Amino acid sequence: MPKVAYFRVTPERQQILLKGLVLSICCVLAFCVRLFSVLRFESVIHEFDPYFNYRTTKFLTEEGFYSFHNWFDDAAWYPLGRIIGGTIYPGLMVTAATIYKFLHFINIPIDIRNMCVFLAPLFSSLTTIVTYLLTKELSNSSAGLLAAAFIAVVPGYISRSVAGSYDNEGIAIFCMLLTYYFWIKSVKSGNVFWSVLCSIAYFYMVSSWGGYVFLINLIPIHVLFCIITGRFSHRIYVAYTTVYCVGTILSMQISFVGFQPVQTSEHMGALGVFGLCQIVSFVAFLRKKLSAANFAILWQTMLYLIGGVVIAAVLVLTVSGKIAPWTGRFYSLLDPSYAKNNIPIIASVSEHQPTTWSSFYFDLHMLVFMFPVGLYVCFKDINDHNMFIILYGVTSMYFAAVMVRLMLVLAPVMCILGAIGTNHVLTSYMKNLDSVQVVKEKKGPKGSKVDNTYPAKNEVVADQTYPLKNVVAIGVVLGLTLFLGLFATHSIWVTAEAYSSPSIVLSARSGDGGRIIFDDFREAYYWLRQNTPEDAKIMSWWDYGYQITAMANRTIIVDNNTWNNTHISRVGQAMASTEEHAYEIMRELDVDYVLVIFGGMTGYSSDDINKFLWMVRIGGSTDRGAHIKETDYYTPTGEFRVDSEGSPTLQNCMMYKMCYYRFGQVYTEQNQPTGYDRVRNAEIGNKDFELDVLDEAYTTEHWIVRIYKVKDLDNRGNPRT
Amino acid sequence: MADCVYRSLFNVLECPNLKLKKPSWFRQPSAMAVFACVLVSYFIVTAGVIYDMIVEPPSVGQTVDEKGHAKPVAFLAYRVNGQYIMEGLASSFLFSLGGLGFIVLDKSNAPSIPKLNRSLLMFIGSLMVVVSFCMARVFMRMKLPGYLLS
């Protein structure tokens, strides 16, 4: 009975089965490796920005898309308010809300918080698949599988897409790689179909992250390099023209982007290359139609004329201000010292610092070695799509060096080029494994050799120039496999130790090995939610704004959006001034409660005293804060100290008093006096003082969050201080 | 009418006889030359040179030992986001060395190379790869004392 024939799996089917199996394992791995914090703590949203995204997603699912799109939030940036509908990238919220609605439709009632927490790992699995497809287009499917495996675990990508990190980058990388995949397909095929798909993917990318500016500059740079190296063909013309036109029109549908694609310098490169494409195609068309001499005359005239017109137009438009110059965040990528010297808010964010070698190695491990190999393989046979990945690699390498946060953009291209390189080395050495050295030189009588030119049918001639071919091949293959295994170990270790902390819940090991959980943040926010009037206004440093609005549901003065430097500076002035001066500012802003973070009791080092110098710098950077000078807060020798040798201005400012109120009577460590600050490792200078304009409202269990109520005006009009 | 204006204008002005040509030494560089430049820039960038320019750390750190003498410290320990200049340059040298080692290994696998050259290339290539991997791991352990241990 020929039953066996139905179940015989042909080699092609075997290959497909194997590829499918490896890809599914990579997808499952990508999802599971991001779940450490959910397993250790609970399904909670991390950090600061995700809380804003969570709040907006909740609003979207409850109120519908039109209310969301037209939302003016009066609970933030009191008394200014914030136009949320027009100042966010809605892709993330719309994606989460769509999946949420779909799951509810098929009767899986998942909570919106869980939806937000697990969205990033889900999209990581999808990114794995897209990386495979992209690398398959660039090289071959075995490199694709390697790239999929790399990107499933590479720490540089995991750091921004763990479960709980509900931020734009979680879906932005998926959208970016999808856009690149469709772009490569359209360049290779020259079809309008793929180009339109690329534009739609680009629209999804624009809706999800501000980093879309990178795409709209990389694709024109690719086209420009193709023109320069003489690879311009009708395929690239069709691809770029379609992508630019359809993509730009679609991108302007996002309110936040608006008319920027035709007004700002960041998008002018794309427009310039678009014009250049048309000119080059037209010139090629004319060259075919005209005779050589006529063409030469026409060419020179048009060159000078159009060159002059374009330069004049750009100059006029830039000088008259119609085309905005490169803005702060993106300009600091081109000139890294700009933010440090001019915009303290951008310079103060730790993610915006330049990258060190250890960040590269920590986030990429083996890929930093394989990246040059992949580049070498691409440079060896350059064609249209190889050039694209080379440009992507080189530009993202530079940008990742300027800003640590952009390591996220470098991680996918490191995976792709690393996979291409590893695949190349492995393939070329695996081929050697097949050749078996069988023939030994036959020696005839002394002085003569048997002719070996025609070996026997089943024997392979040993390569005389290649000793130990088999052994070397085995060595290299085993070595690379070992490195791949070490990469996996390193990535899992890094994920577990460094990138899985929710930062809203802290944990530490106590002396006897048990775990202590510090849940002070949520404790304080829920106290605010349940014990303050609904219209209470909370003043805190801008870091905590999003968390307060999302969890405590109260109005705040400044939050992480940092769109108004003057308002933040006012808050900084209040924190850095004496109580009397700060009281004026707090009455002006209608503040009811003030919230500070203090780590001196527990040793939590990201507290407000460590951020205080930034408050001073930002507070002193506007007109009304001219009385605040940074040097006043240092000792005469230039140190920042909180003990008795510290500057008196520091010891009498409101932040100091709020953090250290009643701290002078507390023992924190053995063998140390009372009031020993465990972060600054010093006994505080000003211990015994009373607060004139504030009442202590709440201090959490481990003194991490302290809330003060602002006293009302005195009954008989006397000043409080 | 306009003809007269232009004619009188060009009686005074003379068109410059511009012959602008692309200089002959301006040729498109070969692919491998560009690759060499990219590799040099990779070395510079992964050394954290931009961090050095902005933050201006010292070339090596300093610590005081028991006798009171100042001892140099190579690595800024316990922090992944800080470095001294020398450690950055040393590490990026290792990264580039590892990449070059693999490229040498690939070149030594070509079909017809004399036996001595091939053995030498293989040896050097494997040495570069192994040394750079192990040294990078050691450097990371020196920087983060708890690396791969907890």
Side-chain angles (χ1 to χ4, degrees):
Chain A
M1 291 230 5
K3 217 192 254 183
V4 181
Y6 291 118
F7 296 115
R8 184 178 310 150
V9 187
T10 58
E12 297 84 38
R13 291 251 178 92
Q14 272 181 354
Q15 271 209 346
I16 297 178
L17 189 66
L18 209 55
K19 284 183 206 170
L21 194 65
V22 171
L23 259 187
S24 356
I25 292 179
C26 289
C27 287
V28 171
L29 178 66
F31 190 89
C32 293
V33 82
R34 287 162 165 82
L35 296 181
F36 274 104
S37 69
V38 174
L39 295 170
R40 285 178 185 165
F41 299 97
E42 60 178 275
S43 154
V44 69
I45 297 194
H46 298 188
E47 300 275 323
F48 301 112
D49 282 2
Y51 274 99
F52 173 71
N53 298 328
Y54 170 58
R55 180 166 164 251
T56 47
T57 314
K58 248 192 342 188
F59 187 86
L60 173 60
T61 51
E62 284 160 12
E63 308 286 332
F65 183 71
Y66 285 102
S67 313
F68 170 76
H69 202 228
N70 295 319
W71 188 12
F72 177 81
D73 187 23
D74 52 0
W77 294 89
Y78 184 85
L80 305 166
R82 180 187 169 181
I83 309 170
I84 291 194
T87 58
I88 55 167
Y89 289 103
L92 177 69
M93 298 82 180
V94 171
T95 311
T98 313
I99 301 181
Y100 169 82
K101 287 266 157 66
F102 173 70
L103 286 177
H104 275 246
F105 178 69
I106 59 175
N107 284 318
I108 302 178
I110 189 172
D111 180 41
I112 185 70
R113 195 194 78 231
N114 286 327
M115 184 67 243
C116 295
V117 165
F118 291 107
L119 188 75
L122 174 70
F123 268 78
S124 311
S125 304
L126 297 177
T127 307
T128 315
I129 299 178
V130 176
T131 312
Y132 164 73
L133 290 171
L134 176 60
T135 318
K136 196 166 81 129
E137 287 302 317
L138 289 168
S139 166
N140 55 29
S141 58
S142 38
L145 291 174
L146 259 179
F150 280 153
I151 203 161
V153 290
V154 69
Y157 179 36
I158 287 188
S159 64
R160 310 288 306 195
S161 66
V162 279
S165 173
Y166 181 55
D167 209 352
N168 299 68
E169 288 98 348
I171 62 170
I173 297 296
F174 167 72
C175 305
M176 186 173 80
L177 290 173
L178 192 68
T179 313
Y180 288 151
Y181 169 63
F182 286 136
W183 169 247
I184 299 288
K185 283 289 266 203
S186 49
V187 162
K188 279 170 98 168
S189 67
N191 259 335
V192 174
F193 171 68
W194 291 112
S195 312
V196 170
L197 279 181
C198 180
S199 314
I200 296 177
Y202 174 65
F203 168 62
Y204 192 19
M205 173 75 199
V206 170
S207 76
S208 63
W209 195 32
Y212 75 91
V213 175
F214 180 63
L215 266 91
I216 201 58
N217 282 303
L218 182 63
I219 291 180
I221 288 180
H222 175 223
V223 174
L224 188 67
F225 269 77
C226 283
I227 294 177
I228 291 177
T229 54
R231 289 180 185 287
F232 191 69
S233 63
H234 67 280
R235 294 186 317 253
I236 299 184
Y237 175 72
V238 168
Y240 184 63
T241 315
T242 317
V243 166
Y244 181 70
C245 295
V246 181
T248 307
I249 291 180
L250 281 176
S251 71
M252 295 205 271
Q253 306 308 308
I254 309 287
S255 319
F256 195 23
V257 173
F259 282 100
Q260 280 179 28
V262 292
Q263 277 181 342
T264 58
S265 301
E266 289 128 12
H267 298 85
M268 284 301 120
L271 180 63
V273 173
F274 177 68
L276 192 64
C277 263
Q278 310 306 318
I279 292 175
V280 170
S281 307
F282 187 57
V283 163
F285 172 72
L286 279 182
R287 200 180 290 222
K288 274 197 298 190
K289 299 284 181 181
L290 291 178
S291 69
N294 284 348
F295 179 76
I297 299 172
L298 185 65
W299 171 243
Q300 287 191 359
T301 329
M302 294 310 287
L303 194 66
Y304 296 136
L305 180 69
I306 293 186
V309 165
V310 163
I311 292 176
V314 167
L315 273 175
V316 164
L317 287 172
T318 311
V319 163
S320 70
K322 280 270 184 280
I323 296 188
W326 287 68
T327 54
R329 260 194 326 166
F330 296 113
Y331 187 72
S332 65
L333 286 179
L334 297 178
D335 176 15
S337 64
Y338 175 74
K340 178 181 165 205
N341 297 332
N342 299 59
I343 313 180
I345 284 195
I346 296 184
S348 72
V349 182
S350 66
E351 315 177 297
H352 292 175
Q353 304 307 313
T355 323
T356 57
W357 77 267
S358 41
S359 292
F360 277 110
Y361 184 74
F362 200 64
D363 278 345
L364 300 164
H365 196 254
M366 182 185 125
L367 298 174
V368 288
F369 298 105
M370 307 310 298
F371 182 70
V373 187
L375 277 179
Y376 165 73
V377 172
C378 288
F379 267 105
K380 258 203 328 190
D381 48 347
I382 293 197
N383 47 39
D384 297 345
H385 42 274
N386 274 350
M387 191 173 295
F388 174 76
I389 202 70
I390 290 173
L391 284 168
Y392 178 21
V394 172
T395 48
S396 58
M397 187 178 80
Y398 172 70
F399 289 133
V402 174
M403 205 185 266
V404 165
R405 184 180 179 183
L406 295 180
M407 183 73 77
L408 174 74
V409 177
L410 178 66
V413 72
M414 277 271 184
C415 290
I416 294 175
L417 280 172
I420 292 178
T422 316
N423 175 54
H424 180 86
V425 174
L426 271 179
T427 326
S428 59
Y429 275 92
M430 288 277 212
K431 282 201 210 99
N432 294 352
L433 282 179
D434 294 332
S435 68
V436 178
Q437 298 189 346
V438 171
V439 177
K440 282 199 169 55
E441 255 194 272
K442 300 193 190 82
K443 278 218 166 74
K446 216 176 190 178
S448 74
K449 287 212 175 112
V450 176
D451 189 17
N452 260 348
T453 3
Y454 301 104
K457 219 154 88 170
N458 293 333
E459 288 167 345
V460 176
V461 181
D463 193 346
Q464 288 302 332
T465 64
Y466 205 148
L468 300 174
K469 199 170 187 173
N470 221 13
V471 176
V472 169
I474 292 179
V476 170
V477 169
L478 277 182
L480 259 180
T481 317
L482 180 68
F483 290 153
L484 289 171
L486 286 175
F487 172 71
T489 319
H490 166 93
S491 306
I492 308 284
W493 181 85
V494 165
T495 313
E497 294 303 314
Y499 290 141
S500 295
S501 95
S503 53
I504 193 164
V505 181
L506 312 162
S507 95
R509 297 222 170 275
S510 69
D512 53 354
R515 217 162 63 130
I516 316 180
I517 305 276
F518 297 97
D519 209 0
D520 288 42
F521 289 95
R522 294 194 293 175
E523 181 188 340
Y525 299 141
Y526 275 92
W527 183 89
L528 274 177
R529 194 189 184 104
Q530 291 165 344
N531 293 291
T532 57
E534 294 245 344
D535 61 350
K537 316 214 182 10
I538 321 283
M539 181 171 89
S540 69
W541 192 234
W542 58 261
D543 285 342
Y544 317 108
Y546 282 157
Q547 285 182 341
I548 297 177
T549 34
M551 278 193 271
N553 202 23
R554 292 286 177 269
T555 310
I556 49 161
I557 308 291
V558 287
D559 70 14
N560 308 56
N561 192 28
T562 65
W563 66 271
N564 191 330
N565 195 31
T566 316
H567 215 54
I568 297 181
S569 170
R570 205 85 183 105
V571 172
Q573 289 156 30
M575 299 294 191
S577 310
T578 54
E579 278 193 78
E580 176 186 343
H581 200 131
Y583 189 64
E584 284 170 28
I585 302 179
M586 290 194 289
R587 290 297 306 173
E588 174 194 321
L589 294 172
D590 283 348
V591 176
D592 297 312
Y593 290 88
V594 188
L595 186 147
V596 290
I597 307 292
F598 172 59
M601 172 84 107
T602 48
Y604 175 60
S605 55
S606 311
D607 66 349
D608 280 357
I609 297 280
N610 274 357
K611 291 180 193 163
F612 183 62
L613 282 174
W614 285 109
M615 298 187 200
V616 168
R617 283 174 200 139
I618 296 175
S621 68
T622 56
D623 293 338
R624 297 177 79 181
H627 61 281
I628 295 180
K629 295 178 209 25
E630 193 180 337
T631 45
D632 289 343
Y633 296 86
Y634 291 119
T635 62
T637 53
E639 291 174 81
F640 180 73
R641 297 177 71 150
V642 298
D643 52 14
S644 46
E645 316 210 359
S647 114
T649 329
L650 172 66
Q651 297 193 6
N652 287 312
C653 75
M654 205 174 77
M655 173 58 72
Y656 186 95
K657 287 191 170 175
M658 282 197 289
C659 285
Y660 292 124
Y661 180 62
R662 289 192 305 118
F663 188 61
Q665 289 91 47
V666 177
Y667 278 105
T668 52
E669 263 189 34
Q670 293 179 337
N671 308 326
Q672 296 289 356
T674 58
Y676 183 75
D677 183 339
R678 291 173 76 183
V679 177
R680 268 62 58 179
N681 291 320
E683 177 190 352
I684 59 172
N686 193 1
K687 281 195 201 178
D688 250 329
F689 55 86
E690 281 302 318
L691 292 170
D692 296 322
V693 301
L694 300 168
D695 276 329
E696 185 181 2
Y698 188 71
T699 300
T700 56
E701 184 186 344
H702 302 104
W703 287 51
I704 293 186
V705 185
R706 309 196 69 181
I707 305 178
Y708 293 87
K709 184 167 170 32
V710 177
K711 286 188 192 169
D712 206 350
L713 289 169
D714 190 49
N715 207 351
R716 282 174 293 242
N718 297 332
R720 285 246 173 231
T721 45
Chain B
M1 191 26 235
D3 215 26
C4 297
V5 176
Y6 287 139
R7 205 178 299 152
S8 53
L9 195 64
F10 281 105
N11 280 337
V12 180
L13 300 172
E14 193 180 289
C15 279
N17 198 6
L18 279 181
K19 276 207 167 47
L20 296 174
K21 252 184 15 170
K22 209 172 70 163
S24 57
W25 46 264
F26 191 72
R27 261 191 310 274
Q28 197 181 16
S30 75
M32 281 303 142
V34 179
F35 174 65
C37 293
V38 167
L39 203 57
V40 168
S41 74
Y42 180 69
F43 168 75
I44 293 175
V45 155
T46 44
V49 158
I50 299 179
Y51 175 89
D52 296 338
M53 290 198 300
I54 304 291
V55 176
E56 291 171 19
S59 164
V60 283
Q62 263 195 340
T63 177
V64 184
D65 68 0
E66 311 89 44
K67 296 200 208 83
H69 302 306
K71 259 191 346 172
V73 165
F75 289 89
L76 180 60
Y78 297 107
R79 282 182 59 189
V80 169
N81 53 4
Q83 66 169 36
Y84 298 128
I85 302 182
M86 288 311 297
E87 59 169 294
L89 289 168
S91 317
S92 80
F93 173 69
L94 284 180
F95 297 157
S96 315
L97 200 71
L100 281 173
F102 276 110
I103 296 175
V104 166
L105 275 181
D106 178 62
K107 277 229 174 315
S108 70
N109 204 25
S112 50
I113 305 181
K115 184 165 159 186
L116 177 67
N117 293 17
R118 191 193 290 273
S119 330
L120 272 179
L121 279 176
M122 287 265 175
F123 177 68
I124 291 177
S126 348
L127 193 70
M128 280 160 91
V129 166
V130 170
V131 161
S132 56
F133 251 81
C134 298
M135 286 304 294
R137 201 184 155 101
V138 166
F139 278 12
M140 199 66 206
R141 177 66 58 81
M142 284 166 70
K143 194 150 173 79
L144 271 190
Y147 178 61
L148 284 182
L149 282 179
S150 50

